[in-house]
Amino acid sequence: MITNPKDQITSSQAAVAVASILVGAGILTLPRSAAEQMNTPDGWIAVILGGLVTMGIAAVLVKLSQRFPGKTFYLYSQEIVGKFLGYLLSLVLVVYFTLLAGFEIRTMGEVTKSYLLLATPKEVTMIMMLWVGVYLVVGGINPMMRLFEILLPPTVLIFFVVLLLSLQIFELDNLRPVLGQVTPLFKGVQTTSLAYAGVEAMLILTAFMREPDKAVKAVLVGIAFPIAFYVMTMVMVIGGLSVDLAKLTTWPTISLIQSFEVTGIVFERFETFLLAVWILQIFTTFASAYYFAALGLSQLFKKNIHPFIYALLPLIYLVAMTPKNVNDLFKLGDLLGYIFVFVAGIMPPILLAIAVLRGKKHGPKA
Amino acid sequence: MDRRHSRMRPLIVALVLLLVTTGCWDLKEVEELRFTVGEGLDRAEEETPGDEWAAEGGGYKKRNLILFTQQLALPEFIAAAGKQNGGQQQKPYQNIVLTGDSTFQMASEPSLGHQGGTFGQHLKVLVIGEALARTVNLQQLLNEYFRSPTVRRSVLVFIARGRAKDTLETQEPGEIPSFRLVDIADNEKETTRLLPPMNLGKVNSKLAAESSFLLQSIASKAGIVKFIGAAVIKGKTKKLIGFLSEEELEGLNWLTGQGGGGAIKAVYEEQRQPAVYMIDKLNSHIHPRVEGNRISFDVGIEFEGRLIEDWAIPGNAFESKHLKKVEKAFHDEVRKRVDRSLNKIQHEYQADVAGFGNQLRIRYPEVWEKVKKDWDKEFSRARIKYTVTIQIRDFGTQGSKLKE
């Protein structure tokens, strides 16, 4: 299906894409969900462990995809488990990506409304982002990858600088004791693993890679970025706010940045900067999910992708507008977490096992 | 390719037009905003400002629980005050006083009688009056501040001895009381008689952890505001239970190693003359100990500094024997003062405001889980032993007053 040589991406682009897709809405809420589950300050350890688990999952995803060079999950799943089941699994993935796109858009809308544009209806900011998303996604995978490459460095820079500024309210005691209790860590890993939702992108991205044999390396490098982001977030937020407070705040990371003012340089307040780069990362996640959903439909129905892109637009908007309030939104996030466990953690190993047993494999085209 | 672009072009033009023609949704003219820079909360007594419009149908359903002071900065008069052109001096701030039972409702009330929109994102200080803090649970009182996304968590929180309303007034021309409070709180590094600044974020985390804590207390006399000691907030009731005097706060800061600078003054033996020690470095380590059911603490307090003033004659600091004597005097003074502060928080207030519980949580998480519910009570029973080390590193540029 993907024979156009223009639609190929380099290994570093794949790594950047994985990093950009993984870093999304979670950055602002992860400290709360981890603190809620664990009740200890060891969230940052759970984040590292969760990242390692994700790396394992990612390796399986890639191994599966590498057996079918040039084919996305939507195509090769039918070869492994037959037409009907393959269709069904692919549809699950399409639905998942659609929900994810809607979830990211709505989270962006909520936060923008609360912190940045208080008088602007959230529908307006959401629709704006949706439209920009259409424009990008219609261009196909290459413009997307190039954009991600441009957006990642400023994100890393600004994000880390802003978080480091919070050192002035950082209290090491809030992070101690380290491993005072070990059992909460298991609960914590379950929660933090969900923050790495997005690795399932490799089910599709591998097919676009110019050198698919480097996919494992690319995805591991890609996951290293979110691990660094999340560890940094957990350490600074728990250190600055304490576990007890992180549990209570809706968007702990923003609350952290709101807890201090920097005097002496031009800007006193930095939540706007944090939110700006955060919205960039939301956009990358949203655009990717949007594209993958549209691509899935186009490959399933063997039609041009453009009509599907436009058809999905109102659908994503509907998904985004479905949660009645922030609690519903977080519930949608939980639901996405469950589907993620299925599409990334359960389905690929089974498919890989079946593929190996049935000897299904596509050699490189002669 | 080309065909698609020609189809996109009108769409793009339409989008750009939309952006240009709608203007900015959230635009507020800076000149027309009223910046809230400080707020005061007091218990409402007899007077009920804001209720004088009842006959005309004004007001809304409320209990008169809180006397609310909203301080607005008037930037246009800050510049004017500098000129000192005599005549009527316009203050660069304005205090609006209202009563009610919801901080949010009171904060939005001025929209009915004042031009422009209120802009709360520059709120710097929140002062709570003694009487209100004693009777109302702070977690309930401050809930709106913790929730509102526009209130930053860096807002400094103070307790006023007397009324908060009075601490938001000043006689100094051209000064905004709220800004003054922020500036004084910044002096933390210069003295050990100030509390490290507590902002809304920290207050929120203390309240959430149900632990007792201190808030800087301030007082106002004849239009002058001063930082005096600390207010003790009890973790269980989340209400004010009492105050620490300036000296008691200093004793506590010594115990916990907070703050910097400051001095120790001791009168010592033979001549009953004072000597003063300038604190350079202050360190303290709290070591919890658990033996069976008994929890105890060992504290090591270390001072490093300079003998800066000595009224004894000749008081020869070149002589180690003399220095030892002065050191001992400082040592005894510190012990006396720390004893007094410790006694006050441990036995009178029964409130662990010095972070002993925090150290226990870190070293003995399992023990902490068991005692944290009633920690303040447990704390009042704990044995606390401490050692004080005073190091006179040097004595400045003159060691003695007379040649012997």
Side-chain angles (χ1 to χ4, degrees):
Chain A
M1 210 67 198
I2 305 145
T3 43
N4 187 352
K6 268 180 155 175
D7 279 347
Q8 287 196 334
I9 61 174
T10 66
S11 307
S12 64
Q13 279 180 328
V16 169
V18 170
S20 304
I21 296 168
L22 263 58
V23 176
I27 282 252
L28 298 190
T29 51
L30 181 65
R32 171 166 48 81
S33 41
E36 261 173 1
Q37 288 299 322
M38 301 175 64
N39 242 328
T40 66
D42 292 330
W44 60 276
I45 302 178
V47 163
I48 296 177
L49 294 178
L52 295 178
V53 170
T54 310
M55 285 183 164
I57 291 172
V60 175
L61 292 175
V62 170
K63 286 284 164 218
L64 176 64
S65 300
Q66 279 173 340
R67 295 179 79 87
F68 306 91
K71 289 200 169 177
T72 66
F73 177 83
Y74 302 120
L75 298 175
Y76 67 66
S77 62
Q78 297 175 31
E79 287 184 29
I80 301 175
V81 289
K83 219 164 176 103
F84 176 70
L85 261 182
Y87 251 89
L88 199 67
L89 291 178
S90 301
L91 273 181
V92 169
L93 204 58
V94 168
V95 169
Y96 168 78
F97 280 129
T98 312
L99 291 179
L100 181 63
F103 174 75
E104 296 286 331
I105 282 282
R106 177 63 181 270
T107 311
M108 187 280 305
E110 289 294 334
V111 171
T112 309
K113 170 97 181 130
S114 309
Y115 290 100
L116 292 175
L117 302 169
L118 287 80
T120 310
K122 60 174 177 285
E123 290 81 357
V124 173
T125 51
M126 287 162 63
I127 290 173
M128 287 287 173
M129 189 177 260
L130 280 167
W131 283 351
V132 179
V134 177
Y135 182 61
L136 177 65
V137 169
V138 163
I141 190 124
N142 283 94
M144 285 170 62
M145 293 299 134
R146 282 200 297 273
L147 182 73
F148 293 179
E149 278 180 307
I150 295 168
L151 294 185
L152 193 63
T155 305
V156 173
L157 184 75
I158 293 175
F159 184 79
F160 279 84
V161 167
V162 169
L163 273 188
L164 278 177
L165 285 172
S166 80
L167 271 177
Q168 54 172 295
I169 54 161
F170 180 84
E171 281 177 45
L172 191 60
D173 277 355
N174 283 340
L175 280 170
R176 298 166 71 198
V178 176
L179 289 179
Q181 289 151 292
V182 182
T183 35
L185 211 51
F186 295 104
K187 268 179 139 181
V189 173
Q190 289 170 26
T191 312
T192 54
S193 299
L194 299 184
Y196 295 95
V199 277
E200 66 283 353
M202 282 317 276
L203 291 172
I204 292 140
L205 273 182
T206 315
F208 287 94
M209 288 184 69
R210 195 175 293 153
E211 301 158 293
D213 46 316
K214 287 191 180 158
V216 173
K217 203 174 151 199
V219 74
L220 294 189
V221 172
I223 295 174
F225 275 93
I227 293 183
F229 270 86
Y230 290 155
V231 169
M232 182 81 177
T233 311
M234 290 301 288
V235 167
M236 299 314 282
V237 171
I238 301 295
L241 297 183
S242 82
V243 177
D244 291 302
L245 187 56
K247 274 191 287 190
L248 303 181
T249 37
T250 320
W251 314 101
T253 314
I254 308 179
S255 290
L256 172 80
I257 308 301
Q258 280 198 326
S259 300
F260 64 89
E261 280 180 9
V262 180
T263 44
I265 41 180
V266 184
F267 300 103
E268 276 192 349
R269 301 160 177 208
F270 288 87
E271 56 265 32
T272 321
F273 292 85
L274 178 85
L275 289 173
V277 294
W278 176 76
I279 287 173
L280 295 182
Q281 288 311 307
I282 285 260
F283 180 70
T284 58
T285 309
F286 150 71
S288 310
Y290 186 9
Y291 177 71
F292 294 150
L295 184 73
L297 291 175
S298 95
Q299 293 194 338
L300 286 180
F301 297 106
K302 301 197 175 60
K303 294 258 160 56
N304 188 327
I305 189 168
H306 288 178
F308 293 106
I309 292 176
Y310 296 116
L312 273 175
L313 188 68
L315 219 61
I316 293 176
Y317 181 71
L318 280 182
V319 170
M321 291 317 290
T322 305
K324 280 202 286 295
N325 54 31
V326 182
N327 274 350
D328 278 3
L329 179 65
F330 292 150
K331 273 198 203 113
L332 177 60
D334 293 342
L335 174 71
L336 278 168
Y338 295 130
I339 312 182
F340 164 67
V341 170
F342 175 73
V343 296
I346 299 174
M347 180 178 76
I350 297 177
L351 288 185
L352 183 62
I354 297 174
V356 170
L357 286 177
R358 295 179 61 178
K360 284 277 180 195
K361 189 171 181 178
H362 264 253
K365 275 167 203 156
Chain B
M1 263 329 237
D2 275 335
R3 211 165 55 87
R4 200 177 72 212
H5 274 207
S6 63
R7 251 193 297 137
M8 291 293 284
R9 202 163 292 139
L11 186 64
I12 293 168
V13 170
L15 281 180
V16 170
L17 271 180
L18 188 67
L19 287 175
V20 176
T21 49
T22 48
C24 185
W25 234 295
D26 294 80
L27 176 79
K28 286 176 184 162
E29 293 295 343
V30 166
E31 295 84 6
E32 288 165 16
L33 283 179
R34 288 177 294 119
F35 288 98
T36 311
V37 291
E39 280 176 2
L41 303 170
D42 283 300
R43 193 171 69 187
E45 308 287 351
E46 268 92 71
E47 83 274 58
T48 54
D51 285 1
E52 54 274 7
W53 307 95
E56 289 85 3
Y60 56 97
K61 198 170 169 235
K62 62 183 165 96
R63 295 168 297 158
N64 282 332
L65 182 72
I66 305 166
L67 183 77
F68 176 79
T69 311
Q70 187 178 55
Q71 181 155 82
L72 306 173
L74 308 174
E76 60 270 35
F77 297 115
I78 298 178
K83 287 182 200 140
Q84 294 285 352
N85 45 6
Q88 272 284 14
Q89 270 272 328
Q90 172 71 46
K91 286 180 185 166
Y93 67 92
Q94 177 193 5
N95 286 354
I96 296 174
V97 184
L98 293 162
T99 45
D101 53 2
S102 140
T103 50
F104 180 74
Q105 281 188 320
M106 287 184 285
S108 32
E109 187 70 7
S111 304
L112 294 178
H114 299 261
Q115 74 284 25
T118 332
F119 193 74
Q121 295 193 26
H122 285 280
L123 187 66
K124 298 268 184 207
V125 299
L126 174 66
V127 187
I128 306 166
E130 182 181 346
L132 187 68
R134 276 189 198 275
T135 47
V136 175
N137 181 327
L138 289 186
Q139 210 162 30
Q140 297 173 315
L141 182 69
L142 300 181
N143 187 255
E144 187 248 325
Y145 292 89
F146 296 148
R147 277 186 195 221
S148 170
T150 55
V151 174
R152 299 194 88 250
R153 285 160 178 273
S154 54
V155 174
L156 295 179
V157 185
F158 302 100
I159 297 280
R161 300 200 78 152
R163 290 211 305 180
K165 182 170 171 281
D166 303 330
T167 63
L168 290 174
E169 294 286 354
T170 185
Q171 301 300 329
E172 300 275 341
E175 265 206 79
I176 299 175
S178 300
F179 289 175
R180 191 190 169 90
L181 291 177
V182 175
D183 288 343
I184 301 176
D186 251 359
N187 293 348
E188 183 214 343
K189 291 275 176 296
E190 326 239 315
T191 166
T192 41
R193 282 185 288 169
L194 272 187
L195 195 68
M198 284 290 276
N199 61 29
L200 270 179
K202 285 188 189 169
V203 170
N204 195 1
S205 96
K206 291 284 185 191
L207 290 171
E210 308 219 294
S211 57
S212 299
F213 62 100
L214 294 179
L215 283 176
Q216 179 70 52
S217 78
I218 58 179
S220 155
K221 210 167 249 173
I224 291 169
V225 178
K226 194 180 175 252
F227 282 40
I228 297 174
V232 181
I233 311 293
K234 185 99 170 162
K236 212 152 206 167
T237 59
K238 301 185 175 84
K239 290 176 188 165
L240 172 73
I241 54 163
F243 289 93
L244 296 181
S245 72
E246 238 171 76
E247 288 212 319
E248 285 160 351
L249 174 61
E250 187 169 45
L252 197 68
N253 277 340
W254 288 345
L255 178 72
T256 53
Q258 277 172 343
I264 308 169
K265 186 174 74 184
V267 175
Y268 67 105
E269 2 154 0
E270 63 223 32
Q271 299 176 6
R272 308 302 304 158
Q273 291 289 357
V276 178
Y277 179 81
M278 188 184 96
I279 303 168
D280 234 12
K281 264 192 209 147
L282 170 54
N283 262 316
S284 145
H285 299 279
I286 299 176
H287 293 284
R289 234 204 280 219
V290 179
E291 282 145 8
N293 273 334
R294 288 181 56 93
I295 297 166
S296 61
F297 295 92
D298 291 329
V299 188
I301 312 172
E302 286 161 31
F303 290 90
E304 200 182 295
R306 166 184 299 174
L307 178 63
I308 193 78
E309 201 171 348
D310 184 358
W311 287 54
I313 290 175
N316 187 356
F318 291 121
E319 231 176 84
S320 293
K321 217 176 78 197
H322 179 72
L323 273 191
K324 278 264 157 342
K325 217 184 316 177
V326 189
E327 238 174 54
K328 171 96 177 39
F330 291 138
H331 177 270
D332 292 348
E333 174 67 16
V334 170
R335 282 206 77 98
K336 202 166 76 197
R337 294 269 299 280
V338 170
D339 266 342
R340 218 187 301 152
S341 307
L342 200 53
N343 187 45
K344 192 126 190 183
I345 63 164
Q346 214 186 354
H347 300 119
E348 191 178 329
Y349 295 140
Q350 303 201 344
D352 173 22
V353 292
F356 285 96
N358 204 24
Q359 294 303 320
L360 184 72
R361 176 184 67 80
I362 290 166
R363 295 287 156 87
Y364 297 95
E366 287 94 5
V367 179
W368 173 248
E369 284 303 314
K370 272 180 255 159
V371 297
K372 74 172 178 191
K373 222 171 155 22
D374 228 350
W375 171 243
D376 276 340
K377 184 134 269 156
E378 203 70 43
F379 167 71
S380 70
R381 287 197 289 258
R383 260 237 333 262
I384 298 170
K385 281 198 302 192
Y386 60 93
T387 52
V388 179
T389 324
I390 295 213
Q391 228 196 87
I392 298 183
R393 205 194 51 231
D394 69 76
F395 37 79
T397 48
Q398 188 183 347
S400 178
K401 292 168 198 69
L402 294 169
K403 215 167 78 184
E404 278 172 83

